[in-house]
Amino acid sequence: MKRRADRYQRRMYLLLSAIIVILTLLILSRDLWKYSYNREKALDNIPPIDMEPKNITGGQLKEYEDDKYYSLNGIDLSEHQSKVDFNVIKEQGIDFVYLRVGYRGYKTGSINIDRNFEKFYAEAKAANLAVGVYFFSQAVSVEEAIDEALFVKDQIKDKEIDLPIAYDLEDIAGDGSRIDDLTLAMRTENAMAFCGKIENLGYSAMIYANQHWCETYYQLADILNYPLWLAQYNDYPTVDYPFKIWQYSDEGQLAGVDTRVDLNMMLVEK
């Protein structure tokens, strides 16, 4: 009887293992199909960017120019950088800065202003740099995303903002966050709510994301209704859809900045 019971248990174990493998393959194939469909649907109505990799030049600060575009150099900053000399970074060829205006706690959900925002804004403007702002979101609902947009408005209402306001939704590497269980549809709806509210308030909006987020965690066709700030740390962009800003490094080293810093290229139509 014991041998028969052992054989039965082994068969059940093998059966369960086979079921798990089949379900995993089905989920992976569904996600691959969703990824492909998401991307192709977006590209049906949005022309690909015609940026030529061979036209990317320069050293640490990349430059680009062709018959349609030229580029500007920028960095993005937050309270993670404590000391910045904006006159020195401008002398090195930086044209614009993106400042984190605030963030929502990835555990608590509370909204906070970036401790260096006011100081960095005043100093960047004094150095005659173009300024944009971004908000680090952890919104889990449309209502929270709208609250984040209203918070941004409150912080910049008396300020001159030169560039689109960026929505930055990210997961937290090595730790869980309150957005982990959001669906693709929910992430997309929240981004659209933030950007729509920003536009209703009289500003331009933009979405920050890497290629994986664009094509897997967002509905690509929807988010490309807004300019894209693409994070991709390659020698040249590999996406075939349009973007406004390309963040090509998070290891920049500039005199005047006390830490490594993100480097960005903005494409400007001639």
Side-chain angles (χ1 to χ4, degrees):
M1 289 292 293
K2 186 177 184 302
R3 288 183 181 177
R4 186 179 301 174
D6 289 343
R7 285 198 298 269
Y8 176 78
Q9 287 179 350
R10 283 197 296 272
R11 288 172 184 167
M12 290 302 297
Y13 174 78
L14 291 172
L15 178 60
L16 287 172
S17 298
I19 291 172
I20 290 171
V21 169
I22 292 170
L23 288 174
T24 301
L25 291 173
L26 286 173
I27 291 170
L28 290 174
S29 64
R30 181 202 64 183
D31 289 344
L32 182 62
W33 176 85
K34 185 186 295 183
Y35 167 90
S36 176
Y37 175 76
N38 182 19
R39 192 170 173 281
E40 292 303 320
K41 182 181 177 184
L43 297 181
D44 281 345
N45 300 311
I46 299 173
I49 192 163
D50 52 1
M51 185 178 184
E52 290 288 340
K54 66 181 181 181
N55 289 0
I56 297 173
T57 59
Q60 178 181 216
L61 296 181
K62 297 180 183 293
E63 298 177 1
Y64 182 84
E65 185 169 9
D66 60 20
D67 293 337
K68 187 174 181 181
Y69 300 105
Y70 68 94
S71 66
L72 298 175
N73 293 312
I75 60 176
D76 52 272
L77 301 167
S78 71
E79 62 191 41
H80 298 299
Q81 289 80 35
S82 58
K83 295 181 180 179
V84 179
D85 187 322
F86 288 90
N87 290 305
V88 170
I89 63 174
K90 183 173 183 178
E91 289 171 359
Q92 292 173 84
I94 296 301
D95 305 296
F96 68 92
V97 294
Y98 257 89
L99 306 177
R100 187 176 73 166
V101 61
Y103 62 96
R104 188 186 287 276
Y106 70 93
K107 293 289 191 183
T108 66
S110 62
I111 294 180
N112 308 274
I113 188 169
D114 187 282
R115 289 193 299 267
N116 284 344
F117 173 64
E118 293 287 347
K119 178 177 183 289
F120 282 175
Y121 173 83
E123 293 176 356
K125 279 296 182 180
N128 293 314
L129 290 163
V131 174
V133 302
Y134 72 95
F135 184 87
F136 182 84
S137 174
Q138 287 286 290
V140 296
S141 67
V142 164
E143 291 76 17
E144 285 194 352
I146 291 173
D147 285 344
E148 293 173 351
L150 292 172
F151 171 86
V152 173
K153 168 63 175 175
D154 286 343
Q155 307 310 314
I156 66 173
K157 60 186 176 183
D158 298 322
K159 295 177 173 63
E160 180 184 4
I161 303 300
D162 307 297
L163 303 170
I165 295 169
Y167 178 79
D168 174 16
L169 180 69
E170 300 180 46
D171 49 16
I172 306 300
D175 199 359
S177 71
R178 65 201 308 267
I179 67 164
D180 287 348
D181 294 329
L182 294 182
T183 64
L184 178 150
M186 292 168 68
R187 291 189 188 95
T188 304
E189 288 170 5
N190 294 347
M192 296 299 98
F194 178 95
C195 292
K197 189 63 177 179
I198 288 295
E199 289 196 331
N200 289 340
L201 293 169
Y203 300 91
S204 298
M206 179 168 60
I207 293 175
Y208 172 91
N210 61 27
Q211 183 177 7
H212 179 68
W213 268 72
C214 285
E215 300 178 6
T216 308
Y217 289 163
Y218 281 132
Q219 184 62 52
L220 185 61
D222 290 334
I223 67 168
L224 290 183
N225 285 308
Y226 294 97
L228 174 64
W229 180 359
L230 175 70
Q232 190 175 58
Y233 305 146
N234 290 349
D235 291 335
Y236 56 88
T238 61
V239 301
D240 51 3
Y241 37 84
F243 54 87
K244 176 69 175 174
I245 299 176
W246 171 33
Q247 185 185 84
Y248 55 84
S249 175
D250 61 352
E251 294 289 327
Q253 293 180 280
L254 297 176
V257 184
D258 63 339
T259 67
R260 294 184 185 273
V261 66
D262 299 333
L263 302 177
N264 300 274
M265 171 194 293
M266 180 188 300
L267 294 179
V268 182
E269 288 196 47
K270 292 182 176 179

